[in-house]
Amino acid sequence: MTTFKLLMFLFLQMFLTTMSSIQAANSKLFREYIGAENNGVTFEEVPIDSKVEFHFILSFAIDYTQSNHPTPTNGNFNVFWDTENLTPAHVSAIKARHRNAKVALSLGGDTVSNKPANFSPTSINSWVRNAIDSIVQITKKYHLDGIDIDYEHFQTDPNTFAECIGRLLFYLKQNNIVSFTSIAPYENDAVQPYYLALWSKYGHLIDYVNFQFYAYDKGTTINQFLKHFEIQSSNYKGGKILVSFGTDGSGGLSPEHGFFEACARLRRQGKLHGIFIWSADDSKKAHFRYEKQSQTFLASIK
């Protein structure tokens, strides 16, 4: 083999290896929050493409009492999603009908009875003990596969949050209670330090970062969105950062203004780890138009 042919052969091998690694980094994962607004949305209504990996995320389980004036329970979680239309039987049925569908629950959320849902443990050990007991019960009752952390208000320090959530995730994974975990941070000085502390200590236990890109300002451009993505990829180094938008009129980069073009650029770079939407409740009125478009886009990944 001549030197020229050898160089061409080596170049081709390098090119094919690079293209293979880019394709491997991209993912066909689609995730959607459901049930927070109690507007009657059901699993069956949401379109599920058989060519993607689909995660429903029940919203929310909160460690507050289920009373007219909810109060914190130090890790004893109760279900606050639409329990009439999103029952254990419904979970089993949707997973039986769609083998590519899994269902998780999300902890925390923004509000409970229109007031902030605060993370306010009495102590690390007591919170973790109560959380394990209650989350295991809910997970088994609802036949759930995963857990998402979406606290947005805190009455403790970042280290306490990291230890409470980290120890909970460790137990759930170690004992095969859940098969995947995620966190849902967003860019806010009162929020990010908590999730960064958790990532620093327990990032190896977290499978996905559902970053709330819709919490950025309305009118975000494609270039701004991609810059945000790079910053958060650096913050959660090594993590699978999912891109997102809201169908509730929130901010960020919307599908109408280039969200899927931004996704296409990330896909070409091998950085598209999946898409999630907040939320099915809000998408119902538009007949899940963007759920269909998102899954079609993901299904086209080679």
Side-chain angles (χ1 to χ4, degrees):
M1 184 180 290
T2 66
T3 301
F4 176 75
K5 287 183 177 179
L6 178 60
L7 288 173
M8 288 300 295
F9 174 77
L10 292 173
F11 174 79
L12 180 60
Q13 288 293 101
M14 289 174 61
F15 176 77
L16 292 174
T17 300
T18 300
M19 291 305 296
S20 177
S21 64
I22 286 176
Q23 290 173 357
N26 290 321
S27 168
K28 297 185 180 184
L29 176 61
F30 177 78
R31 316 187 85 201
E32 178 144 52
Y33 290 86
I34 186 170
E37 297 174 19
N38 282 277
N39 68 348
V41 67
T42 65
F43 295 127
E44 290 77 11
E45 292 176 86
V46 182
I48 298 177
D49 190 314
S50 62
K51 300 182 188 69
V52 306
E53 181 182 356
F54 194 110
H55 293 177
F56 282 109
I57 306 175
L58 290 164
S59 312
F60 293 94
I62 313 174
D63 53 335
Y64 270 67
T65 58
Q66 291 176 312
S67 60
N68 292 333
H69 302 285
T71 56
T73 59
N74 189 40
N76 283 307
F77 282 87
N78 289 301
V79 169
F80 282 84
W81 60 75
D82 182 353
T83 54
E84 183 177 339
N85 293 288
L86 302 168
T87 67
H90 291 134
V91 172
S92 295
I94 199 67
K95 292 202 294 183
R97 191 172 300 119
H98 298 277
R99 296 298 180 182
N100 59 320
K102 293 182 172 65
V103 183
L105 82 164
S106 186
L107 306 187
D110 183 20
T111 63
V112 54
S113 293
N114 299 314
K115 294 183 179 180
N118 290 306
F119 181 79
S120 53
T122 302
S123 70
I124 294 173
N125 288 339
S126 62
W127 189 93
V128 171
R129 183 172 59 250
N130 293 336
I132 287 172
D133 288 345
S134 56
I135 293 300
V136 168
Q137 287 183 38
I138 294 170
T139 301
K140 289 184 176 180
K141 177 180 178 180
Y142 277 84
H143 322 293
L144 302 177
D145 307 290
I147 189 169
D148 175 67
I149 309 299
D150 189 19
Y151 278 102
E152 302 182 5
H153 306 281
F154 307 89
Q155 290 185 335
T156 188
D157 60 278
N159 181 68
T160 299
F161 175 74
E163 286 302 323
C164 287
I165 300 300
R167 294 182 194 184
L168 171 63
L169 297 183
F170 177 81
Y171 180 90
L172 296 176
K173 276 203 155 182
Q174 187 79 1
N175 292 278
N176 298 314
I177 307 299
V178 299
S179 58
F180 57 83
T181 65
S182 60
I183 57 175
Y186 61 97
E187 185 56 63
N188 184 294
D189 290 342
V191 174
Q192 280 270 59
Y194 291 85
Y195 286 95
L196 291 174
L198 173 62
W199 184 261
S200 176
K201 288 191 172 186
Y202 293 99
H204 60 287
L205 298 174
I206 299 167
D207 297 295
Y208 311 110
V209 179
N210 282 8
F211 200 85
Q212 298 184 42
F213 287 99
Y214 44 85
Y216 286 107
D217 292 339
K218 278 190 176 183
T220 296
T221 66
I222 293 173
N223 287 336
Q224 288 172 333
F225 181 90
L226 294 173
K227 180 65 174 177
H228 295 326
F229 180 88
E230 290 304 321
I231 290 171
Q232 301 311 329
S233 294
S234 176
N235 283 338
Y236 299 93
K237 195 168 182 63
K240 294 180 179 177
I241 315 295
L242 275 68
V243 294
S244 61
F245 61 91
T247 53
D248 59 348
S250 52
L253 179 61
S254 67
E256 300 96 327
H257 294 99
F259 176 81
F260 291 105
E261 171 56 32
C263 288
R265 294 191 193 180
L266 291 174
R267 180 175 62 185
R268 288 194 291 271
Q269 298 171 29
K271 297 178 180 178
L272 185 62
H273 304 296
I275 295 172
F276 79 90
I277 294 177
W278 175 272
S279 66
D281 307 57
D282 297 296
S283 297
K284 182 175 180 177
K285 60 182 177 294
H287 308 291
F288 307 101
R289 170 187 174 188
Y290 293 121
E291 282 75 1
K292 296 171 186 173
Q293 188 174 354
S294 296
Q295 291 178 77
T296 298
F297 182 90
L298 291 170
S300 69
I301 294 175
K302 303 301 182 186

